[in-house]
Amino acid sequence: MRHSNLCAAICVALAAAPAVAAAQADKPAAPKAERACFRAQDVDGFNAVDKETVDVSVRRDVYRLTLFAPSPDIDWTQRIGVESRGGSWICAGSDATIIVPEAIGVQRYPVTAIRKLSAEEIKARKPR
């Protein structure tokens, strides 16, 4: 008796499988996250959000960079450098270093994360 119930359950599951697959095929695929890549030489401005976060402008786009450690001088400096590591494109945090001039030279801050800001986020930013 248990064996026939198990066989019946398997048959029902197998019969329903094509309908489930067809329903999933009709659903649009979830959009893939856009990869945020830019070249260091294309950076044309920056805004320090706080001591660990910097927004860099690349033409019309803005990328938010998270630093590995806080920079006590990033919020008042007039300029920064963005250096790419391992290639000319910066696509992930491990690809970039922020260079900040300080009173005794320059300090280098590895970037741990990069995120491209949306148009709404760009409009809501406080100007430097």
Side-chain angles (χ1 to χ4, degrees):
M1 183 75 170
R2 279 191 314 177
H3 186 64
S4 62
N5 287 343
L6 179 62
C7 288
I10 290 173
C11 289
V12 169
L14 289 175
V20 171
Q24 288 180 347
D26 291 340
K27 282 190 211 175
K32 288 186 177 181
E34 183 179 336
R35 192 160 183 197
C37 296
F38 62 93
R39 295 182 315 160
Q41 64 198 36
D42 293 334
V43 173
D44 54 17
F46 81 100
N47 182 38
V49 176
D50 56 36
K51 293 182 184 297
E52 295 180 3
T53 311
V54 178
D55 290 346
V56 294
S57 303
V58 180
R59 297 187 179 104
R60 294 183 185 164
D61 296 326
V62 178
Y63 297 87
R64 181 151 292 166
L65 310 179
T66 303
L67 305 181
F68 176 73
S71 169
D73 298 318
I74 195 117
D75 58 350
W76 65 266
T77 189
Q78 298 290 319
R79 61 191 174 160
I80 64 169
V82 179
E83 178 182 64
S84 62
R85 296 184 292 192
S88 59
W89 288 95
I90 297 172
C91 296
S94 60
D95 295 339
T97 300
I98 297 291
I99 302 167
V100 180
E102 295 181 350
I104 57 171
V106 296
Q107 189 69 301
R108 302 169 76 77
Y109 297 93
V111 175
T112 59
I114 296 174
R115 182 175 66 86
K116 185 176 178 180
L117 298 184
S118 68
E120 294 80 26
E121 289 174 307
I122 292 170
K123 289 178 186 175
R125 289 186 325 147
K126 287 194 276 184
R128 181 172 175 168

